[in-house]
Amino acid sequence: MSERWQVYKFGGSSLGTSGRLPRVLELVAAAPRPLALVVSALGDSTDWLILAARSAEEGNISQARGQLTHVRDLASATARSVLGAQGQKGMKYDLDEILTPVERLLSGIELTRECSPRTLDAVISVGERISSALLARALSERDVPALAVDARDFVVTDSTHGSATVEKAETAVRFAALESNWAGKVPIITGFIGRTRDGHTTTLGRNGSDYTATLVAGLLKASAVTVWTDVLGVMTADPALVREASPVDRLSYDEALELAYFGTRMFHPRTIIPLRECGAALVIRSTTQPDAPGTRIDATGNPDPNRPTCVTSLERLTLLGVQSRRTGLGRPLGGRILAALSEAGVRVWMTTESTLGQSFSVVIPAVDEASARLSVSAALASELQSGDLRIEPVLSPVTLVTLVGENMAGRPNVAGKFLNSIGEAGISVRAVAQGASARSISCVVDADQTATAVRTVHGAFNLAHTEISVLLLGKGVVGGSLLKQIDRQNQALGREHDVQVRLVGIGSSSGALFEPEGIPPVEAIARLQKALAAGKVVKDVTSLLEKLSRLPNPVLVDCSAAPGMEKIYRAAFAHGINVVSANKQPLALPQAERVALLNEARRHFRAYNYETTVGAALPVIETLKNLVRTGDHVISIEGAFSGTLGFLCDRLSQGDPLSVAVRKAKDLGYTEPHPRDDLSGLDVARKAIILARELGLQVELSDVVLEPFVPAENLREDDPEKFLQSLTALDAGVAARVASCKAHGRFLRYLARITPGATGSQVSVGPVEVDAAHPASSLRGAEAFVAFHTERYREYPLVVRGSGAGGDVTAAGVLADILRLAQNIRGRR
């Protein structure tokens, strides 16, 4: 034939899961010819057969027969879904012919109480033979000429039962004799099994059916092998750890081999090697979503050589190290350790060695820790006894995290970015290694840091959208505006910035609702209110932090003005959760408590973003930090920090009575829940303290010289509505003061002033009358401004000015803090 063969391989889930086999038959009927199929056992048949053999070995023949009945029943039920009456009758004959010898084998095992590897291979080989017979009959009924082929008739192996090695030369000879009978037909070949030269059935071990498929492809000189399975392809990371993991479009043979070496269960190194030898591609596609492109593995691989492929994680491992106490050991340390472990049958996943060979570490399966220690101790007994060597404390369990990508050596700073991203997440790297091929770099981390490490690396190398999991506290004006902005912007964020903000929880002072799968932002407040009414909320937010920490890039967002939130922040940091906050109170705590809170964030390598605590969306704090970082000397800071009080001053100047102006501000969402908090000046004082402390001043809230916007005796009413009504008594007095200002060409403003001093710093907050030349004189509405007088900006101060109040403005600042965090996670520094 002029056309090159195609090979399709179908796994057990594609064949044995209810409702999937008809789809498989459709795929085969529509596939190009010539076509060969390789099949696995139906569903869990292999597991049932193993359990049957083990049960018989234990003398429980009834349980063994029960497991065999499961195999028969699944095959019969599957046959009924795709075969007519005559076909079902023929399939019953096939099952009797295949399973009757197994029943005799199980009886023999039960009598001898022994199941050798050879006998076990004979038992479990029948699963694939059942699948081959079933598909051949089903296709023939659909006018697709098909032929059941027992791979034992051509796959010749050694006698290593359970993981046999194929003898390729003899296999090729026998295959050539069979291939001529396949003209015009679709051969349905059993995967996983072979036969020794003397006729004993063998199995090929893990990924055995995939190996059969690629072996057949090589023998047929096929153009491609398509492995049909229940996943979309090779994923950029384990979806159980990284929700935003996505299928990899292309891989090179060498990348696939690298992934196989690091434990990716989708394929084995020997699966790839035959393909590379014959040049056939391996395509992994989903039976449930056959139109999806899947993953293609070939000589070309990913067309973008600078993009890493994926992140793997190999868990349940142990790090075992040996350290030399003197230089000049006569015999190489690493070689002796590896030889001892090899002799003990211990798999070594990674090794590290110091420059002069003074220390050597191995990463091994945790289950082999005891035997590894014994074998290493025996091999190094004399040096251990003399004290020249010591075995370091074992670290277990640990995880091997690996970044894989073709041509990583040609891209600068891959290793640096890999390790830096993990370090910035607060994760200790226990060991690190990079192979000579430079297609991968690996590190060892503690097992409880696995999910965080994999997500961090995945995000840092932009393998998919960075997903930010948000628990929002506060459903008031700012919180409500933030929810609307997230809903409005999420699509654009994903398209333009590869960031997705996913709301997973929302809380208020009455309780919190948490849904790990995500809550639509526009429905969040209504869902919380419904849950509150039904009593189905979590009262203690800290109890949700453990669940939040397991999600991708968790962030606690505080849009409340509640006191005591520092306790929740500390718990969040301890759980590896970043915090974004518009709440001023934790930063205005006594200095020692504030420092302890910031140190807690640093200790856990967590971000604490709080730009909106001073100027809403205005970049006030970041501007001050940059001045200080670059060595400028701040002489003074002056500003109208409260957009709310700025709005009141503007309305008063336009003739509104105080009581009317305050009510307007509250209706517009400018004030705190209780307007007293704004008129007291305490909110501005907190902002001034936050800025003063960013400047390095050691000041407390009690040090602020504070004059409220209205007399203190008028601020005692606790009920917000009664408080608003009480303000009418002040209307006349305030109006008179405003009129006096106008008469003298001055403007009433509420300002904060911060003046550092060698002998003492001063922070003052209060109403001030300014002339027309002052920057605050031109403020309108809810505008705020901050003027930084510094050595560099002595003659003309650096002024930050803009809207300083309102839910939309503050929410925009909060969202900007969230996105800044996302950019840092993605490594765009």
Side-chain angles (χ1 to χ4, degrees):
M1 294 182 181
S2 58
E3 294 292 329
R4 293 181 67 184
W5 281 82
Q6 296 274 332
V7 178
Y8 279 7
K9 181 263 176 179
F10 290 98
S13 60
S14 297
L15 301 176
T17 302
S18 178
R20 289 193 186 175
L21 186 53
R23 181 57 183 149
V24 168
L25 298 173
E26 291 175 7
L27 290 171
V28 173
R33 300 293 190 270
L35 175 70
L37 302 189
V38 174
V39 293
S40 298
L42 301 175
D44 296 325
S45 295
T46 301
D47 291 338
W48 292 333
L49 290 164
I50 292 172
L51 185 55
R54 297 306 178 202
S55 298
E57 187 177 32
E58 294 169 0
N60 192 343
I61 192 64
S62 61
Q63 181 171 307
R65 288 171 178 160
Q67 297 302 321
L68 200 60
T69 299
H70 289 331
V71 174
R72 181 186 289 271
D73 289 348
L74 176 61
S76 299
T78 307
R80 286 194 295 273
S81 70
V82 294
L83 295 178
Q86 193 62 32
Q88 291 179 44
K89 183 177 179 181
M91 191 64 207
K92 182 179 182 304
Y93 173 83
D94 293 338
L95 286 173
D96 289 340
E97 186 176 42
I98 294 170
L99 294 178
T100 299
V102 178
E103 293 174 358
R104 291 197 292 267
L105 272 176
L106 293 175
S107 296
I109 294 170
E110 190 261 341
L111 288 173
T112 61
R113 295 292 197 276
E114 180 182 354
C115 182
S116 67
R118 188 172 83 180
T119 303
L120 181 63
D121 275 357
V123 171
I124 65 177
S125 68
V126 302
E128 280 70 20
R129 292 162 58 198
I130 291 171
S131 294
S132 175
L134 175 58
L135 259 73
R137 289 188 178 277
L139 287 169
S140 296
E141 282 195 4
R142 287 158 177 76
D143 297 325
V144 177
L147 175 69
V149 176
D150 190 335
R152 296 178 301 174
D153 292 339
F154 66 88
V155 176
V156 181
T157 74
D158 66 7
S159 58
T160 307
H161 291 279
S163 187
T165 299
V166 174
E167 296 182 5
K168 293 185 178 179
E170 182 61 24
T171 296
V173 171
R174 298 191 185 188
F175 182 85
L178 290 175
E179 183 189 352
S180 59
N181 299 323
W182 299 352
K185 299 177 182 178
V186 177
I188 318 296
I189 305 166
T190 57
F192 185 57
I193 61 176
R195 184 180 280 146
T196 63
R197 287 177 181 266
D198 55 358
H200 295 294
T201 295
T202 57
T203 58
L204 304 181
R206 182 168 74 85
N207 298 94
S209 292
D210 288 354
Y211 182 35
T212 303
T214 59
L215 184 68
V216 168
L219 294 167
L220 289 171
K221 296 181 174 53
S223 61
V225 176
T226 302
V227 175
W228 293 92
T229 181
D230 53 2
V231 297
L232 291 172
V234 178
M235 305 298 285
T236 53
D238 182 352
L241 298 176
V242 182
R243 186 187 301 271
E244 63 269 30
S246 58
V248 178
D249 296 332
R250 301 284 297 273
L251 286 171
S252 69
Y253 294 134
D254 289 329
E255 284 177 305
L257 279 171
E258 204 80 17
L259 289 171
Y261 291 141
F262 284 104
T264 300
R265 296 189 59 83
M266 190 163 286
F267 33 73
H268 190 277
R270 63 182 180 176
T271 304
I272 304 300
I273 292 170
L275 296 175
R276 188 162 61 176
E277 290 174 348
C278 72
L282 174 63
V283 183
I284 299 170
R285 296 178 66 183
S286 171
T287 313
T288 58
Q289 299 184 50
D291 294 331
T295 299
R296 181 181 177 87
I297 302 167
D298 56 24
T300 304
N302 192 333
D304 179 3
N306 293 319
R307 186 177 185 271
T309 301
C310 56
V311 186
T312 71
S313 52
L314 194 60
E315 301 182 55
R316 294 181 289 278
L317 302 176
T318 290
L319 179 64
L320 176 65
V322 178
Q323 176 73 43
S324 171
R325 296 185 180 219
R326 66 179 179 84
T327 59
L329 284 174
R331 300 160 65 192
L333 183 59
R336 295 163 63 196
I337 292 173
L338 292 176
L341 293 174
S342 177
E343 187 174 343
V346 176
R347 170 72 181 269
V348 176
W349 285 103
M350 189 183 92
T351 65
T352 62
E353 185 173 19
S354 63
T355 305
L356 298 176
Q358 295 300 105
S359 65
F360 192 82
S361 299
V362 292
V363 179
I364 58 175
V367 294
D368 294 329
E369 178 187 330
S371 60
R373 284 181 64 91
L374 285 173
S375 62
V376 170
S377 297
L380 307 176
S382 60
E383 289 99 327
L384 290 171
Q385 188 173 3
S386 67
D388 290 338
L389 295 177
R390 74 167 183 266
I391 296 179
E392 298 288 346
V394 168
L395 291 177
S396 185
V398 296
T399 296
L400 186 64
V401 177
T402 302
L403 177 71
V404 175
E406 190 69 62
N407 198 32
M408 281 170 53
R411 182 181 180 185
N413 199 34
V414 172
K417 190 172 184 179
F418 174 75
L419 295 173
N420 185 58
S421 66
I422 292 176
E424 288 201 352
I427 301 169
S428 297
V429 174
R430 304 299 185 181
V432 62
Q434 184 168 26
S437 71
R439 290 191 185 93
S440 65
I441 181 169
S442 303
C443 73
V444 177
V445 301
D446 293 338
D448 60 359
Q449 297 285 355
T450 300
T452 303
V454 173
R455 290 172 192 154
T456 298
V457 174
H458 192 270
F461 285 90
N462 305 334
L463 294 176
H465 287 322
T466 294
E467 187 173 303
I468 304 295
S469 303
V470 168
L471 170 57
L472 172 64
L473 302 182
K475 62 180 181 64
V477 174
V478 176
S481 295
L482 178 62
L483 292 172
K484 293 175 184 176
Q485 290 179 21
I486 291 173
D487 182 68
R488 214 164 37 232
Q489 287 297 112
N490 236 353
Q491 196 170 31
L493 290 173
R495 183 178 61 250
E496 298 172 16
H497 303 285
D498 283 334
V499 171
Q500 290 285 278
V501 179
R502 185 165 59 93
L503 183 73
V504 296
I506 181 171
S508 69
S509 58
S510 302
L513 175 67
F514 191 81
E515 296 182 11
E517 297 304 315
I519 304 171
V522 292
E523 300 176 13
I525 293 177
R527 285 198 190 185
L528 175 60
Q529 290 171 337
K530 184 177 180 181
L532 286 167
K536 295 180 178 180
V537 293
V538 177
K539 294 293 185 181
D540 181 11
V541 172
T542 55
S543 67
L544 296 176
L545 297 179
E546 174 63 30
K547 295 179 181 178
L548 178 63
S549 70
R550 299 194 196 114
L551 299 178
N553 303 310
V555 183
L556 178 72
V557 177
D558 182 10
C559 288
S560 76
M565 296 301 291
E566 64 276 2
K567 298 175 184 177
I568 298 177
Y569 294 3
R570 284 196 292 269
F573 297 144
H575 280 87
I577 299 168
N578 298 299
V579 173
V580 170
S581 175
N583 190 335
K584 293 171 279 294
Q585 298 211 39
L587 294 170
L589 289 168
Q591 179 73 338
E593 294 180 43
R594 170 190 173 270
V595 170
L597 179 63
L598 295 176
N599 285 342
E600 194 73 5
R602 294 188 190 100
R603 186 166 75 86
H604 293 285
F605 297 89
R606 297 298 92 190
Y608 178 15
N609 292 352
Y610 49 85
E611 179 66 67
T612 53
T613 56
V614 173
L618 299 179
V620 175
I621 293 175
E622 190 63 23
T623 299
L624 177 57
K625 284 182 176 180
N626 287 334
L627 290 172
V628 174
R629 287 175 190 141
T630 57
D632 201 354
H633 173 66
V634 177
I635 299 169
S636 67
I637 302 173
E638 184 180 38
F641 293 165
S642 172
T644 303
L645 294 180
F647 175 81
L648 294 181
C649 289
D650 186 48
R651 297 310 306 169
L652 291 172
S653 68
Q654 295 184 45
D656 280 0
L658 174 67
S659 59
V660 173
V662 174
R663 190 173 288 280
K664 282 183 180 178
K666 189 174 191 305
D667 291 343
L668 290 169
Y670 290 166
T671 71
E672 298 292 332
H674 196 313
R676 174 182 62 186
D677 296 336
D678 296 286
L679 297 179
S680 70
L682 185 59
D683 186 64
V684 176
R686 290 193 182 109
K687 293 179 179 182
I689 283 293
I690 291 170
L691 271 191
R693 288 172 170 177
E694 291 293 335
L695 193 55
L697 305 185
Q698 300 297 310
V699 291
E700 301 291 351
L701 192 58
S702 59
D703 296 329
V704 178
V705 179
L706 172 61
E707 180 184 348
F709 193 79
V710 298
E713 59 267 22
N714 296 98
L715 297 170
R716 295 171 184 158
E717 176 57 59
D718 293 328
D719 181 82
E721 181 56 35
K722 290 180 179 179
F723 174 76
L724 289 171
Q725 294 172 6
S726 72
L727 292 178
T728 56
L730 301 175
D731 286 346
V734 172
R737 182 174 183 181
V738 171
S740 175
C741 286
K742 285 185 175 181
H744 293 86
R746 301 175 72 83
F747 302 85
L748 181 64
R749 297 291 183 258
Y750 197 85
L751 302 182
R753 287 182 172 139
I754 303 168
T755 309
T759 58
S761 303
Q762 184 178 12
V763 180
S764 63
V765 171
V768 177
E769 296 177 12
V770 301
D771 58 31
H774 194 280
S777 65
S778 60
L779 295 178
R780 295 292 179 267
E783 271 191 303
F785 95 101
V786 180
F788 297 99
H789 299 262
T790 74
E791 290 287 352
R792 294 179 192 148
Y793 297 92
R794 183 183 292 272
E795 186 174 359
Y796 302 103
L798 174 60
V799 176
V800 178
R801 176 172 171 170
S803 182
D808 286 343
V809 173
T810 305
V814 172
L815 183 56
D817 267 352
I818 295 172
L819 298 180
R820 188 177 300 113
L821 179 63
Q823 288 173 342
N824 287 340
I825 290 170
R826 292 181 69 81
R828 295 173 181 166
R829 296 175 177 83

